Amino acid sequence: MDCDKSLSAVVFAAGKGTRMHSPLPKVLQPLLEEPMLRYVLSAADPLCPGRVHTLIGHRADLVRGAFPEREGLFIAQDEQLGTGHALATAWGSLRGNPPEYLLVINGDTPLLEEKTLAAFAGKSIRERRDLSFISLTLRDTGDFGLVLRRDGRVQGIVEAGDFNERIHGPKNGEINAGIYCLRTAAVVPLLPLIGNDNTKGEFYITDLVALAAARGLSVEACNLGDDPRLSGINTPAELSRSEEYLRALIVERHLGNGVLIRAPQSVRIGPAVCIEAGADITGPCEIYGRSRIGAGVRIASHCRLQDTAMEQDADMRSFCHAEQAVIGRGCIVGPYARLRPGSVLEEGAHMGNFVEMKKARLGKGAKANHLSYLGDAEVGEGANIGAGTITCNYDGANKHRTRIGAGAFIGSNTALVAPVDIGNGAVVGAGSVITRAVPADSLGVSRARQRSLPLRIMPASEK
Ligand code: UD1
Ligand code: MG
């Protein structure tokens, strides 16, 4: 669509979402670990960049906090008196710089795609419609607003709770998807005419349709059949269904791009994850956020990655958990490894079972293969961290760093009490508690000398 300055958009995200039974505002409910609202905004942003506003109200602080980059594009609706009131509130803030057309999108339709929205807005503007909205035809019309037509022409929308067959005639299966394109000069004058005399006692945006039709304005319902991408989410069951739909779509897209996904029905991949052709992923498995997976990477079953990069040919074995981590080319991770934020494995490093890392770097080819904690640590190239090594990074008040030089060898069951430095090529004896620097190429050992004493056999009278 040719986007010019005549179009702005507002996404309604002020409602509580009572039917979700959750303390989280509905638009922050995640689908594949991305808040519902992010999907709607990314469909709308390309149409009118910088002019997609978000109406917030219930737990506005949380919504703002989740989208700090959109500061300046929020509009507050302090009381949520319904979608008609939402539109009037938004207009109060937009009228200083009024757009000719306003796209209004319910924040709870996350599967809406940019191309659908662009085609809808483009058509509405080309045909100079005063009010158009997207409708669907569903077998089960649920709680959706029902579209009323006479002789094929749209007459209005009646909310499910207000529908009365005797007054409105039999249901025709056509429902309102909650996405509208308004020619503001024609529609804004109708806003004060919206009342709240309905079962919910709310001001409904949908009343505009009957008001406009009765005045002979050009009203159109753009019917998109039974496209499941357009149904709003109001309940946990609807969220779960939409998430599953999206999950399958994303997995199919990666399969189509040459990613081998085994047991695809149990693989969950976030919408912004990038995976190169030739990666090999086995479900069940979850990959979210801004994760990047290179060609030749293998991810075995039961792994969870969030905002993690795996470079070419890295191998993640089963049951690993990685968050904000970088795993270099050819590394081997797991099984059962945990990479917390700030974990970096340089090329060819190995991190084995029951090893936890946090803000720590394993240098090129370094190995920590068993039962260790490396927190706030630097491990040099080719160093070997023995089983049971712990960096004691926290003294109860502050965190301190451990530096282990290239080629160092840390014996099993060592406690490195930070801040502490182990020099290049140094060796630390097994079972040591190291509290002072070990210079390069020296042996550091701190443990009680072993003694072997004869056992005294106690006489029965002393027992
Ligand atoms: C709405 C429509 C219904 C349509 C359905 C499609 C109305 C009256 N009804 O019903 O015809 O079939 O969407 O999904 O509009 N919101 C605010 N401020 C408010 C009230 C709501 O921002 O004061 C927001 C909500 O956060 C939500 C959106 O508006 O994102 C829609 O509200 P919701 O309560 O979900 O309306 P539905 O009952 O789904
Ligand atoms: Mg809804």
Side-chain angles (χ1 to χ4, degrees), residues 358-420:
K358 184 222 68 173
K359 283 196 192 152
R361 175 180 293 267
L362 261 188
K364 228 172 164 181
K367 292 184 180 147
N369 270 335
H370 328 270
L371 300 155
S372 281
Y373 172 59
L374 300 171
D376 302 293
E378 298 284 334
V379 177
E381 186 172 337
N384 189 85
I385 309 296
T389 298
I390 306 291
T391 54
C392 311
N393 57 333
Y394 185 50
D395 61 12
N398 295 302
K399 299 277 171 69
H400 302 282
R401 293 196 73 77
T402 299
R403 285 184 199 80
I404 298 169
F409 183 97
I410 312 295
S412 295
N413 199 27
T414 293
L416 300 166
V417 183
V420 71

Side-chain angles (χ1 to χ4, degrees), residues 19 26 106 108 233-234:
R19 287 165 278 176
K26 181 167 66 176
N106 281 356
D108 60 0
I233 294 178
N234 299 301

Side-chain angles (χ1 to χ4, degrees), residues 1 7 47 101 103 116-126 181:
M1 193 191 57
L7 183 70
L47 271 67
Y101 286 91
L103 205 49
T116 311
L117 201 56
F120 164 66
K123 181 169 185 289
S124 307
I125 295 171
R126 244 186 347 268
C181 186

Side-chain angles (χ1 to χ4, degrees), residues 230-374:
L230 290 161
S231 355
I233 294 178
N234 299 301
T235 63
E238 287 165 355
L239 188 144
S240 167
R241 269 200 296 277
S242 292
E243 190 180 43
E244 176 51 26
Y245 182 89
L246 187 67
R247 186 203 64 73
L249 213 65
I250 293 175
V251 166
E252 278 306 313
R253 171 161 58 80
H254 289 293
L255 281 167
N257 289 344
V259 178
L260 173 53
I261 301 184
R262 304 165 196 267
Q265 63 288 348
S266 60
V267 173
R268 303 165 68 79
I269 302 173
V273 171
C274 295
I275 310 181
E276 286 178 5
D280 181 338
I281 297 167
T282 300
C285 161
E286 299 172 76
I287 310 175
Y288 296 128
R290 305 292 173 273
S291 294
R292 288 185 292 109
I293 310 298
V297 164
R298 285 167 54 94
I299 302 178
S301 68
H302 301 93
C303 291
R304 188 184 196 281
L305 286 78
Q306 173 90 43
D307 298 312
T308 288
M310 286 185 74
E311 286 160 17
Q312 264 186 28
D313 302 321
D315 185 358
M316 182 177 273
R317 299 181 177 168
S318 291
F319 295 99
C320 290
H321 196 285
E323 191 179 350
Q324 293 170 38
V326 178
I327 299 166
R329 213 180 163 112
C331 288
I332 301 177
V333 176
Y336 298 99
R338 178 164 183 216
L339 295 89
R340 290 168 53 203
S343 299
V344 177
L345 272 64
E346 291 179 1
E347 189 172 342
H350 292 189
M351 176 186 182
N353 41 273
F354 306 107
V355 174
E356 174 180 348
M357 287 176 63
K358 184 222 68 173
K359 283 196 192 152
R361 175 180 293 267
L362 261 188
K364 228 172 164 181
K367 292 184 180 147
N369 270 335
H370 328 270
L371 300 155
S372 281
Y373 172 59
L374 300 171

Side-chain angles (χ1 to χ4, degrees), residues 12 14-15 19 26 77 80 82-83 106-108 145 159 176 204 234:
F12 287 172
R19 287 165 278 176
K26 181 167 66 176
Q77 184 195 17
Q80 292 82 54
T83 47
N106 281 356
D108 60 0
E159 290 308 302
N176 165 32
Y204 292 159
N234 299 301

